[in-house]
Amino acid sequence: MIHQTSGRWRLGLSLSLLTVFLWGILPIALKVTLQVLDVYTVIWFRFLMSFILLAIYLSVQKKLPTVEQLRSSSGKLLAIATIFLGGNYLLFMQGLALTTAANAEVIIQLSTVLLGFGGLVIFRERYTLWQWFGVSVLTLGFLLFFKAQITNLITAQGQYLVGSGLLVLGAVSWAIYALAQKQLLQSLSSYHIMLIIYGGCALLFTPFTKINKIFTLDILHLSMLLFCGLNTLIAYGSFAESLEHWEASRVSAVLALAPIVTLIAVELVAGIFPQLIPPENITLIGIIGALLVVSGSVAIALGKSGK
């Protein structure tokens, strides 16, 4: 049986926009955190913190998953979702460490495109002609907006190119996770799914973690690490819940706005704290591309679904 949405599209849209904002500013915090911590420790902390906070919340609300609920769910799908989300975190963080925040955010957008097409194929969602036009506008917008990054990819050598390749693999890994999670909503709530995935991923990365390093952090880097953990909990909770109320193809269209948030955030942070993040130069073509990305995303997200 294929999962069906609740039809509460306004709630789905709001949750998607919250996810966009949090994911848009996350690369900056991660880039700062990676100045002092290794990739595995950061990932482990994010998952463990999210697991503990979500477990406390569900316990207080008396909504922890029951044994019957866990037995009725698909163990294979849960394993797939856990492994591929963990893989996404690892590949994205490694790619981010080797490139820049803007480059990481644009390449990882392949994940939302793959999620959208996965929704069309697996969940039998449909795009209207207007929505396909939106896809075309969105694609053109990205090509213009990230012209500089695309040029870098073509001419880059060494670690920048390797990092970009890891980000592509991370995008594929995330799309597989997201499609598995959407199907899991048939038997478990989004909160229960994320609780299991957070706990599973924390266990996966525990053997590679250097916990002692966390206790040596200064206030700035500790604050960034804590923010990354909270960002994981809130952003993925919002994303998971948005799939309950809205089609995967439309959620993916809204998530495509995240790179714009990243570029704006980088400019603001670089202007105030230039020692943390170098600024990104946005040309007139980039601005036009950004407007096309926004227009295409709106066309896809708010266009009427075909039956």
Side-chain angles (χ1 to χ4, degrees):
M1 185 176 179
I2 300 297
H3 173 261
Q4 299 295 321
T5 63
S6 70
R8 299 171 65 187
W9 69 268
R10 290 181 181 83
L11 179 56
L13 173 60
S14 299
L15 291 168
S16 299
L17 289 173
L18 176 58
T19 305
V20 165
F21 174 74
L22 292 173
W23 281 352
I25 61 177
L26 178 61
I28 299 175
L30 288 174
K31 195 71 177 176
V32 173
T33 307
L34 286 173
Q35 294 172 357
V36 294
L37 285 180
D38 62 279
V39 168
Y40 297 101
T41 303
V42 175
I43 295 173
W44 172 82
F45 183 87
R46 291 172 66 192
F47 278 127
L48 183 64
M49 181 178 177
S50 299
F51 173 77
I52 292 173
L53 291 178
L54 184 55
I56 292 173
Y57 170 78
L58 292 177
S59 179
V60 171
Q61 297 292 319
K62 297 181 179 180
K63 293 181 179 180
L64 285 171
T66 64
V67 175
E68 290 74 18
Q69 287 176 316
L70 295 177
R71 285 177 178 173
S72 65
S73 61
S74 172
K76 289 182 180 179
L77 275 180
L78 277 171
I80 289 172
T82 300
I83 292 171
F84 279 94
L85 182 60
N88 163 258
Y89 269 54
L90 178 60
L91 292 164
F92 179 81
M93 290 283 289
Q94 293 281 20
L96 177 65
L98 296 174
T99 61
T100 66
N103 183 69
E105 197 60 44
V106 63
I107 295 179
I108 207 66
Q109 290 313 300
L110 287 171
S111 61
T112 63
V113 175
L114 292 171
L115 172 60
F117 285 114
L120 296 175
V121 175
I122 298 174
F123 297 106
R124 300 173 187 174
E125 299 172 4
R126 295 291 182 269
Y127 276 177
T128 62
L129 183 61
W130 177 252
Q131 286 175 302
W132 281 115
F133 173 73
V135 171
S136 301
V137 173
L138 182 75
T139 303
L140 176 61
F142 274 126
L143 289 175
L144 293 176
F145 190 67
F146 296 109
K147 186 174 182 295
Q149 278 70 27
I150 291 172
T151 301
N152 285 336
L153 287 177
I154 295 173
T155 59
Q157 296 179 355
Q159 68 174 28
Y160 197 94
L161 193 59
V162 172
S164 298
L166 293 174
L167 290 165
V168 170
L169 293 176
V172 174
S173 185
W174 185 88
I176 295 173
Y177 142 75
L179 291 168
Q181 167 159 319
K182 184 166 177 62
Q183 184 59 26
L184 280 167
L185 289 169
Q186 278 291 113
S187 55
L188 288 171
S189 73
S190 58
Y191 296 111
H192 291 165
I193 294 170
M194 296 315 301
L195 180 69
I196 297 168
I197 291 176
Y198 289 151
C201 286
L203 287 175
L204 285 176
F205 285 98
T206 297
F208 311 102
T209 302
K210 298 176 181 177
I211 300 176
N212 290 339
K213 279 193 172 184
I214 296 176
F215 299 101
T216 66
L217 298 180
D218 57 29
I219 295 297
L220 171 64
H221 291 98
L222 180 60
S223 299
M224 288 294 101
L225 182 62
L226 290 171
F227 171 78
C228 290
L230 285 173
N231 189 297
T232 300
L233 176 66
I234 300 171
Y236 269 92
S238 299
F239 166 70
E241 191 65 16
S242 69
L243 291 176
E244 181 71 38
H245 304 292
W246 218 18
E247 294 95 333
S249 53
R250 294 193 179 190
V251 171
S252 70
V254 176
L255 296 184
L257 298 173
I260 297 178
V261 176
T262 300
L263 265 290
I264 294 173
V266 167
E267 289 300 312
L268 291 175
V269 173
I272 301 173
F273 305 104
Q275 72 278 12
L276 290 181
I277 295 288
E280 298 278 352
N281 297 319
I282 304 177
T283 64
L284 177 59
I285 292 178
I287 295 174
I288 295 173
L291 294 175
L292 291 176
V293 168
V294 172
S295 301
S297 296
V298 170
I300 297 169
L302 302 183
K304 239 179 179 178
S305 283
K307 299 296 182 182

